Amino acid sequence: MKYRSEIDGLRALAVVPVILFHSGFELFGGGFVGVDVFFVISGYLITTILIEEIESDRFSLLNFYERRARRILPALFFVMLICIPFAWMWMLPDPLENFGQSLVATVLSANNILLFLTTGYWDLASEFKPLLHTWSLGIEEQYYIFFPIFLIVVWRLGREVLLLSIAIILITSLSLSEWLSYGSPEEAFYLIHTRAWELLFGSVAAFIVHKNGVKNNNLLALIGFLAIIFSILAYDVNTPFPGVYALVPVLGVLLLVLYAGEETFVAKLLSFKVIVGIGLVSYSAYLWHQPLLAFAKIYSKNEPVFLTNLILVFFTFFLAYFSWKYIEKPFRNKIIINGSTLIFIISFASILLVGFGYSAHKTHGFVSRVFEDSVLSSDMYISYNERNYEFIKDEFQSKATTKKILVVGDSFGRDFVNVLRETYNLSLFELIYRDDYDTCTLITSETGKIFASTADVIILATVNILDDGHCSADAIEFANKTNAKIFFIGTKQFGFNHNWIARTDLDKRKLLRNPVLLDTKNADFNASEIIPADNYISIMQPLMNDEGVLVTDELGRLLSPDRAHLTKYGAIYIGREIIRKSALDPFLK
């Protein structure tokens, strides 16, 4: 295959926006489309190689897989191995367990599947995942596994049947991508069947170039270039993606591949030595950037500032050059690293990675590495939040003399049920929890009004109680008419990051604090201004002082597993130190 320097330049155009996007540079709000650019390039290059080898009767599936392994695995496994000691030193058990699962999934070319299965409300924030970016490698590796087999089988049926088959799969995949971008965005984003069309556009380009060559068309090449730039600058995290929006950068790459011949302005621009150099190390740069950014956040109490992120960007390319020169290049050279040596190294690295990852999973992140044996992971992880579904009932069943408590809210409502569970004798009253109402629907829907009118105490707890703020006055008025007491529980947030606690000695973990997030402080203040003091219970104000918000109790145990919800120890502490001292307490005895 003839070398095209502009393709390496195109790689640079793909990787730089991705890195800057993840680094928080607002100008590059659509920098994530760089991954889509990579997909089209991969589809084009791999299909070009396959066409040439099949036509010349030189194709070997084993040789193809070996070349892909040489290209992808050594640098990937090296970065993953380097991540392990930092994860061990700096991560709390829950994030380390997640990291271990990602190690295993990435070795199995399936981190995209793991992310699809685990991404959601309870998921660890993406910026704290060092291996988040390997989802795209999972897509490519799955394509590398199946597409050559498909090509070999269908090739025998003739080129027309082959191209028609590719077109059908491409259109089906694109249609699924658009449909699921709205109905199941995680599936659309992470899985091969909704991303295959991007790689297949590259495959289509390969067939066209193989037949007609690369054309020199300045206008079409410029349109393709500008389409990519437009999507990088105009898109953001709110853009439904991939779907039809991804067509803009994908078709942009297609135009560049087909019409950016070496005589065009765009090809000359992309062929500048510095740009080509960035393209050459783009794979290693992509591998390094997410671990660097993630571990910087994991280490810090505060979100890294602009200068820190800028330094990390430059350090990314420094490490990229190192791993490109000393790992990528040698492993791609069969004279330096022969097949047997490659198999041994890859197998040995795989055993290490899977072994550590599986152990991290089975031990829930090596809990004893950070906490005393008496601290149970089941009491400290987010699953503790969901220990209260037995309180979801359709109506109160108790006698008139038994006090009836109704808790309404989302996951913060479940948190509050756990506070009650850990603080009071629940046999003294009947408790119902409902997550299918909010402040407004509780007093406007027929079933909601039945609940509200039969309760003695109504407790409303949501992530942001002011989301329903326009109904708070009506809810208070409704409660007064039914002789019920009503309380609104303020929001809570335990800072930007608390992984740093893992580096703190056990005897120094008592009553530790994180810097308070301004948004949370303001939300609590605004709620206290709108909701009458007799009806509002602030969680944040008792936990805050000039040094920050409390994140551990007097025994050094975490109050929150994810900076927002409560551990068992958080529920105990808030019940004892806040609710017991609030206006709500007399109604729960």
Side-chain angles (χ1 to χ4, degrees), residues 5-6 221 260-272:
S5 58
E6 69 273 12
E262 58 186 15
E263 298 300 321
T264 62
F265 167 77
V266 172
K268 292 177 180 178
L269 175 64
L270 293 175
S271 297
F272 280 161

Side-chain angles (χ1 to χ4, degrees), residues 73-85 99 102-108 131 133-134 287-288 291 353-354:
L73 299 183
L76 172 62
F77 285 3
F78 176 73
V79 171
M80 291 165 68
L81 287 168
I82 293 296
C83 286
I84 288 176
F99 173 75
S102 291
L103 284 175
V104 176
T106 300
V107 171
L108 299 176
L131 299 179
H133 60 324
T134 62
L287 290 179
W288 281 113
L353 292 168
V354 171

Side-chain angles (χ1 to χ4, degrees), residues 185-302:
E186 292 84 8
E187 182 177 354
F189 193 88
Y190 285 121
L191 298 186
I192 181 68
H193 60 274
T194 54
R195 290 286 191 167
W197 67 273
E198 300 179 48
L199 290 144
L200 290 173
F201 258 115
S203 298
V204 170
F207 278 100
I208 296 173
V209 170
H210 182 72
K211 182 179 180 180
N212 301 323
V214 180
K215 303 297 182 181
N216 291 287
N217 189 312
N218 273 302
L219 177 60
L220 292 178
L222 182 61
I223 291 173
F225 179 78
L226 292 177
I228 298 171
I229 298 298
F230 170 81
S231 57
I232 291 169
L233 301 179
Y235 290 0
D236 59 31
V237 293
N238 297 314
T239 304
F241 211 81
V244 295
Y245 283 91
L247 274 171
V248 177
V250 167
L251 293 178
V253 179
L254 184 68
L255 290 174
L256 286 175
V257 170
L258 297 179
Y259 297 106
E262 58 186 15
E263 298 300 321
T264 62
F265 167 77
V266 172
K268 292 177 180 178
L269 175 64
L270 293 175
S271 297
F272 280 161
K273 191 172 182 179
V274 173
I275 297 176
V276 171
I278 294 173
L280 288 172
V281 302
S282 61
Y283 175 59
S284 280
Y286 183 77
L287 290 179
W288 281 113
H289 87 280
Q290 178 65 17
L292 287 173
L293 294 170
F295 280 119
K297 293 179 176 69
I298 288 166
Y299 187 83
S300 176
K301 283 188 179 183
N302 295 296

Side-chain angles (χ1 to χ4, degrees), residues 273-570:
K273 191 172 182 179
V274 173
I275 297 176
V276 171
I278 294 173
L280 288 172
V281 302
S282 61
Y283 175 59
S284 280
Y286 183 77
L287 290 179
W288 281 113
H289 87 280
Q290 178 65 17
L292 287 173
L293 294 170
F295 280 119
K297 293 179 176 69
I298 288 166
Y299 187 83
S300 176
K301 283 188 179 183
N302 295 296
E303 188 169 6
V305 298
F306 174 83
L307 180 59
T308 300
N309 286 333
L310 188 62
I311 292 171
L312 290 173
V313 170
F314 283 106
F315 194 48
T316 292
F317 285 99
F318 170 79
L319 291 176
Y321 176 76
F322 170 84
S323 57
W324 170 74
K325 184 173 182 179
Y326 297 106
I327 297 175
E328 282 193 65
K329 290 184 69 177
F331 271 91
R332 293 171 71 177
N333 190 327
K334 292 184 179 182
I335 298 176
I336 299 175
I337 307 290
N338 61 36
S340 299
T341 304
L342 175 72
I343 293 172
F344 172 78
I345 293 174
I346 295 301
S347 299
F348 183 70
S350 297
I351 292 171
L352 290 178
L353 292 168
V354 171
F356 180 86
Y358 182 73
S359 298
H361 167 71
K362 290 296 291 183
T363 60
H364 299 294
F366 300 100
V367 178
S368 60
R369 169 185 57 96
V370 179
F371 296 107
E372 295 177 343
D373 293 340
S374 60
V375 176
L376 300 176
S377 60
S378 57
D379 293 333
M380 193 168 51
Y381 282 7
I382 197 63
S383 58
Y384 172 78
N385 180 272
E386 300 184 340
R387 291 186 185 180
N388 42 40
Y389 282 109
E390 72 268 26
F391 298 113
I392 296 179
K393 302 175 184 177
D394 291 331
E395 59 182 355
F396 288 104
Q397 302 290 333
S398 62
K399 299 177 181 179
T401 56
T402 304
K403 196 171 294 184
K404 303 173 184 64
I405 311 297
L406 174 63
V407 178
V408 173
D410 49 27
S411 60
F412 276 32
R414 287 199 292 272
D415 264 345
F416 199 79
V417 172
N418 283 325
V419 170
L420 298 181
R421 182 204 299 271
E422 303 295 350
T423 309
Y424 297 94
N425 181 358
L426 298 188
S427 66
L428 298 179
F429 50 82
E430 183 177 3
L431 174 65
I432 287 182
Y433 162 67
R434 297 299 294 244
D435 59 3
D436 50 351
Y437 296 101
D438 57 30
T439 306
C440 294
T441 57
L442 183 66
I443 59 172
T444 57
S445 67
E446 290 303 317
T447 54
K449 283 191 282 189
I450 292 173
F451 270 120
S453 62
T454 55
D456 297 306
V457 180
I458 302 169
I459 301 170
L460 295 151
T462 59
V463 172
N464 186 354
I465 202 70
L466 287 187
D467 283 347
D468 308 319
H470 63 288
C471 291
S472 59
D474 293 337
I476 293 171
E477 182 180 354
F478 184 93
N480 289 337
K481 290 179 180 179
T482 60
N483 295 317
K485 294 297 297 183
I486 186 167
F487 295 92
F488 296 81
I489 309 301
T491 190
K492 59 189 186 303
Q493 226 289 340
F494 297 87
F496 170 72
N497 167 50
H498 55 206
N499 278 286
W500 58 272
I501 295 170
R503 309 193 310 271
T504 308
D505 293 338
L506 278 171
D507 58 350
K508 297 180 180 179
R509 288 191 193 155
K510 300 176 182 178
L511 303 176
L512 295 177
R513 294 183 180 273
N514 249 344
V516 180
L517 296 185
L518 185 60
D519 288 346
T520 306
K521 188 174 182 180
N522 289 340
D524 180 64
F525 176 78
N526 291 337
S528 67
E529 288 287 296
I530 293 172
I531 301 172
D534 290 343
N535 305 104
Y536 185 69
I537 299 175
S538 172
I539 301 297
M540 291 299 296
Q541 290 178 26
L543 295 178
M544 291 189 299
N545 65 18
D546 293 340
E547 297 178 2
V549 59
L550 207 63
V551 292
T552 61
D553 65 12
E554 66 280 356
L555 297 178
R557 300 172 301 192
L558 284 177
L559 301 184
S560 173
D562 64 345
R563 303 166 295 141
H565 301 89
L566 298 177
T567 63
K568 177 179 180 178
Y569 314 108

Side-chain angles (χ1 to χ4, degrees), residues 133-208:
H133 60 324
T134 62
W135 72 268
S136 65
L137 299 183
I139 296 283
E140 292 201 19
E141 289 163 351
Q142 290 155 23
Y143 167 80
Y144 297 152
I145 291 171
F146 296 111
F147 184 73
I149 299 172
F150 161 80
L151 199 63
I152 294 169
V153 172
V154 184
W155 187 281
R156 300 169 184 174
L157 303 177
R159 180 161 298 209
E160 290 184 358
V161 174
L162 174 60
L163 293 176
L164 178 61
S165 300
I166 291 175
I168 291 172
I169 298 172
L170 187 156
I171 293 170
T172 302
S173 175
L174 174 57
S175 300
L176 284 172
S177 181
E178 171 63 13
W179 178 46
L180 293 172
S181 291
Y182 296 91
S184 180
E186 292 84 8
E187 182 177 354
F189 193 88
Y190 285 121
L191 298 186
I192 181 68
H193 60 274
T194 54
R195 290 286 191 167
W197 67 273
E198 300 179 48
L199 290 144
L200 290 173
F201 258 115
S203 298
V204 170
F207 278 100
I208 296 173

